[in-house]
Amino acid sequence: METDPGFIAALEEARKGAAEGGVPIGSALVAADGTILGRGHNMRLQKGSATLHAEISTFENAGRLPASVYRGATCYTTLSPCDMCTGSCVMYKVKRVVIGENETFVGGEEYLKQRGIEVVVLKNKECQELMKKFIAEKPEEWNEDIGEP
């Protein structure tokens, strides 16, 4: 799965976020037929946004889609999704969420599973390294991103 175009796109987005000085989390939404519908990265710091996490950015960039498109889709994300991003996957009833890593943060994986969404964790080393570096260099920004004091 680390060679899936959706995961590659998500990782490219995470690298882009890191290069911009933002939280290095990327995401991509891929249709059942393999078409990348949207991709994005965390833009909270860059845009001064309260909600622009990678998955939210991805859904926004995918644009308005029929519910049937989401039902067969896979959301790739480089980090375990927070409650807000988990909620977007549940709301649109994506079929599967592929997570780059969940060592630095574990989000709503169990809730996704409870709602019938397949969850795959890749334990990707680059995703882990990007997050560890960011958290070490910008702990205040990280805590803000996940709603911690």
Side-chain angles (χ1 to χ4, degrees), residues 2-121:
E2 292 184 49
T3 59
D4 287 359
F7 179 72
I8 292 168
L11 189 52
E12 288 171 354
E13 290 291 332
R15 291 178 191 138
K16 186 186 286 187
E20 294 169 355
V23 183
I25 304 169
S27 179
L29 183 66
V30 179
D33 68 2
T35 304
I36 295 178
L37 301 168
R39 53 190 282 171
H41 57 279
N42 186 305
M43 297 283 291
R44 288 190 71 252
L45 298 176
Q46 298 92 315
K47 297 224 177 190
S49 170
T51 59
L52 209 46
H53 281 192
E55 298 85 348
I56 303 303
S57 176
T58 295
F59 279 103
E60 182 67 20
N61 291 333
R64 186 175 169 192
L65 299 169
S68 60
V69 173
Y70 294 111
R71 289 207 167 89
T74 296
C75 182
Y76 291 85
T77 180
T78 58
L79 184 67
S80 183
C82 72
D83 290 341
M84 176 176 65
C85 297
T86 293
S88 65
C89 291
V90 169
M91 180 176 154
Y92 291 111
K93 297 175 179 64
V94 299
K95 179 180 178 180
R96 179 172 62 164
V97 176
V98 176
I99 299 166
E101 71 103 348
N102 65 357
E103 293 292 318
T104 56
F105 177 80
V106 177
E109 295 173 32
E110 289 306 314
Y111 185 62
L112 289 168
K113 292 174 189 174
Q114 289 170 4
R115 297 301 298 253
I117 297 171
E118 179 186 359
V119 175
V120 178
V121 181

